[in-house]
Amino acid sequence: MRRARKDELEKIANFIVERFEGLEQYTFLYKDFENAKEVIGKVAISELSLYFEKGDVLVEDNGGLNAVIIGIKATKYNFFNIIFNSLKTQKYLSGLAKRDIAILKEKMKIQNMIHDRKWFKKYSKNCYYITQIAVSKEKKGTGLFRKMITPIIEECIKDDMCIALETFTKSNVSLYEHFGFELVETHKNDCVPFSEYCMIKIN
């Protein structure tokens, strides 16, 4: 596992899109776009840029890009950094039609009915937030997930930090529980066709 380079941003964004395409969140956000892959790709790049600046983008690429894990310390995941980054990354959404941007904003607004960016801060101020974990379909079941997350767990134990993550896929809950995470909140809303499962690992 190594830290990703900034010149790999687009490649990593494409990997995440390919891995999550068809899952609950992505289906909801992008089903109404004719050019869905283009829209998803631009959004993924814009979101990733914050973590290259303030957090960690880690990859496993032995023989090709096989896995990505993205995280950030809670102290760096604050309102100012999120807003400042959103202003900086507008360029990544350039080229999208105004209609597409309007639809995307509305979809994000609906999703945010269940997605609270700061939910984990209620449990600890000293927390590491994992925002994305993606393992290629070909490498599922090979132990690669364990290989990626174990160093982060060990580092957080050393620094006396808890670890927070969420998933929109219910079947992932048992996987994270296997690594010591506890389901602490489930966010639901009648307007959103999926739930958010919020998990904490206290070290």
Side-chain angles (χ1 to χ4, degrees):
M1 185 166 69
R2 65 172 176 83
R3 190 172 294 276
R5 303 184 308 271
K6 283 190 178 182
D7 64 1
E8 296 176 298
L9 190 152
E10 186 172 347
K11 177 182 178 181
I12 293 167
N14 289 337
F15 175 82
I16 291 171
V17 169
E18 289 173 13
R19 183 62 190 88
F20 293 146
E21 188 178 18
L23 294 182
E24 301 89 341
Q25 179 197 22
Y26 273 45
T27 300
F28 169 72
L29 287 176
Y30 305 114
K31 67 179 180 180
D32 296 326
F33 295 99
E34 292 181 9
N35 55 337
K37 278 216 166 181
E38 179 189 358
V39 176
I40 296 172
K42 286 180 177 288
V43 172
I45 289 172
S46 69
E47 290 180 348
L48 264 176
S49 63
L50 169 64
Y51 304 105
F52 272 100
E53 288 283 331
K54 301 292 183 180
D56 303 305
V57 181
L58 306 169
V59 298
E60 200 290 320
D61 60 351
N62 184 19
L65 185 53
N66 299 310
V68 176
I69 189 163
I70 301 164
I72 190 169
K73 290 181 179 179
T75 52
K76 295 183 178 181
Y77 192 72
N78 55 49
F79 179 78
F80 174 78
N81 283 335
I82 292 168
I83 294 300
F84 182 67
N85 187 73
S86 68
L87 295 173
K88 284 176 60 181
T89 58
Q90 288 300 312
K91 62 182 180 182
Y92 296 116
L93 301 180
S94 64
L96 292 181
K98 288 184 178 180
R99 174 187 175 275
D100 288 343
I101 292 175
I103 292 173
L104 185 60
K105 285 181 176 178
E106 183 60 28
K107 294 267 191 171
M108 292 287 193
K109 183 179 176 182
I110 294 171
Q111 178 183 278
N112 285 341
M113 292 177 177
I114 64 167
H115 181 50
D116 176 5
R117 292 177 182 268
K118 300 179 290 184
W119 66 266
F120 52 86
K121 293 188 177 184
K122 293 183 289 185
Y123 297 89
S124 174
K125 300 299 181 186
N126 190 29
C127 193
Y128 188 81
Y129 177 40
I130 296 177
T131 68
Q132 294 272 14
I133 302 175
V135 176
S136 69
K137 293 177 181 178
E138 296 76 17
K139 293 293 182 177
K140 283 190 72 175
T142 65
L144 185 53
F145 177 85
R146 178 182 295 275
K147 179 181 177 183
M148 293 290 285
I149 202 167
T150 296
I152 292 173
I153 292 174
E154 291 174 347
E155 189 70 21
C156 288
I157 290 173
K158 187 177 75 173
D159 294 340
D160 195 28
M161 297 180 71
C162 73
I163 307 172
L165 57 79
E166 67 250 342
T167 179
F168 297 113
T169 304
K170 189 174 183 179
S171 60
N172 285 343
V173 171
S174 59
L175 169 65
Y176 297 133
E177 287 177 334
H178 180 74
F179 286 90
F181 288 84
E182 178 187 356
L183 178 63
V184 292
E185 295 183 13
T186 301
H187 301 161
K188 299 180 180 182
N189 188 290
D190 290 342
C191 295
V192 186
F194 51 87
S195 299
E196 180 180 67
Y197 304 94
C198 302
M199 309 193 71
I200 288 275
K201 178 177 172 58
I202 305 293
N203 294 315

